[in-house]
Amino acid sequence: MELLFFAYRDFVADPDRILAEYGFGRAHHRVLHFVDRHPGLTIAELLDILRITKQSLNRVLKELIEQGYIAQRTGTSDRRHRLLTCTPQGRALAQRLAGVQGERVRRALAEVGPALREPAGRFLLAMIEPEERAAVSRLIGGEASAEIPAEIQAEIRAGSPSADGARP
């Protein structure tokens, strides 16, 4: 378990240094990440992804909007919805943050070798609550689906195996 704590510490350290330059924290990073990856995301969808209170999101989102990193517009089918997108400035920052984390992951995978890519993906998937795996898979589909080996994506669609390998 301690390895996971140390890996997480170092995984977030790179973006933390960049975020400090802007006076931002990890909450800003999470919002930027998901809005950049899913332009047009609603506030309700973002709250569901992040599992934070509306009050917590409002403070961070207000700062990102006021400083020109995120734009919001009214929904076309439902005018009550606020659709979020990164501005060019926000996209550049989100990609800079993703770049340093992506490089850390690429280095680690290169160090352990290609044979461990699939087991690493399987392990990370197993860390997600079983009832959330399909939703996470849908969320990170698209360009991120390359990060999940095809065998694991098929397994998610079919229903996750239990601890003994049998299907539920």
Side-chain angles (χ1 to χ4, degrees):
M1 187 167 5
E2 287 169 335
L3 280 176
L4 192 55
F5 282 111
F6 287 117
Y8 175 75
R9 177 198 67 189
D10 291 351
F11 181 70
V12 298
D14 299 322
D16 281 352
R17 283 188 286 278
I18 295 168
L19 291 161
E21 297 171 19
Y22 298 84
F24 292 156
R26 291 182 188 163
H28 297 86
H29 181 192
R30 289 189 294 270
V31 170
L32 278 168
H33 175 82
F34 285 106
V35 172
D36 180 53
R37 295 294 287 241
H38 304 281
L41 196 64
T42 67
I43 290 175
E45 290 167 331
L46 187 56
L47 286 168
D48 189 49
I49 291 167
L50 299 176
R51 291 191 177 164
I52 59 174
T53 65
K54 196 171 188 176
Q55 183 180 4
S56 297
L57 177 61
N58 283 341
R59 180 189 60 79
V60 170
L61 192 55
K62 182 179 178 195
E63 290 175 2
L64 289 167
I65 290 170
E66 286 176 353
Q67 294 185 35
Y69 292 92
I70 293 202
Q72 69 176 344
R73 61 181 167 76
T74 304
T76 53
S77 62
D78 186 339
R79 299 192 52 77
R80 293 172 296 178
H81 287 162
R82 297 290 172 252
L83 307 179
L84 305 173
T85 56
C86 280
T87 64
Q89 177 182 344
R91 184 155 176 74
L93 178 55
Q95 290 180 347
R96 182 177 173 202
L97 297 167
V100 295
Q101 287 184 311
E103 182 53 36
R104 180 175 291 278
V105 170
R106 283 187 291 281
R107 272 194 327 261
L109 288 172
E111 190 173 314
V112 299
L116 290 182
R117 180 183 171 103
E118 190 272 336
R122 189 174 299 279
F123 169 77
L124 291 173
L125 181 65
M127 292 292 293
I128 298 168
E129 292 294 333
E131 63 276 4
E132 294 294 321
R133 293 174 189 165
V136 168
S137 180
R138 283 189 304 276
L139 179 69
I140 66 173
E143 65 185 73
S145 65
E147 298 171 10
I148 300 177
E151 317 74 68
I152 296 175
Q153 290 183 48
E155 191 172 289
I156 293 168
R157 286 189 293 277
S160 299
S162 64
D164 64 1
R167 299 263 174 226

